[in-house]
Amino acid sequence: MNRKIRTEAVDQLFDAVLSLKTKEECYSFFEDICTVNELFSLAQRFDVSIRLMEKKTYQEISAATGASTVTISRVNRLLFDGNEGLEMAASRIGKGKVESD
């Protein structure tokens, strides 16, 4: 884990996110703290990560999400070199599983 992000301010932000109880509360909080583009960018990256875990091709992912191949490549690198946070979150919401034939 990147120790540089472990700050009091980041801890406070995470505590605030963990305090949210409903999707509506999340919408209110994230609309206040993020620009629309920032929120859409985060959502797109998470969507891309799920599709990568489902073994979709870059072309399929780009067509479905509008993400550039650069963004897809960056997210793909995070899946292999990251802290498994994307996989953990996707599995908890029942996403990212490779469908068997």
Side-chain angles (χ1 to χ4, degrees):
M1 180 173 302
N2 186 343
R3 302 288 178 216
K4 292 180 184 177
I5 70 165
R6 287 187 173 260
T7 66
E8 188 175 329
V10 173
D11 281 349
Q12 185 172 281
L13 173 64
F14 290 168
D15 287 341
V17 171
L18 289 169
S19 77
L20 302 173
K21 293 181 175 39
T22 66
K23 235 181 243 190
E24 284 307 312
E25 288 182 1
C26 289
Y27 275 106
S28 293
F29 179 80
F30 282 99
E31 283 184 55
D32 284 350
I33 201 165
C34 295
T35 66
V36 171
N37 286 340
E38 289 169 335
L39 186 55
F40 284 163
S41 180
L42 290 170
Q44 182 186 61
R45 288 179 186 182
F46 188 59
D47 189 16
V48 166
S49 72
I50 289 168
R51 293 170 191 273
L52 285 167
M53 287 181 258
E54 293 172 343
K55 306 295 185 199
K56 305 289 186 199
T57 67
Y58 278 29
Q59 291 76 21
E60 290 171 320
I61 296 168
S62 182
T65 66
S68 69
T69 55
V70 171
T71 297
I72 298 167
S73 178
R74 187 174 300 133
V75 172
N76 192 45
R77 190 171 42 250
L78 290 172
L79 283 173
F80 289 102
D81 297 336
N83 297 305
E84 299 181 8
L86 291 169
E87 296 92 337
M88 176 182 53
S91 72
R92 287 184 180 170
I93 64 168
K95 301 286 184 178
K97 296 176 183 162
V98 177
E99 296 178 20
S100 56
D101 296 333

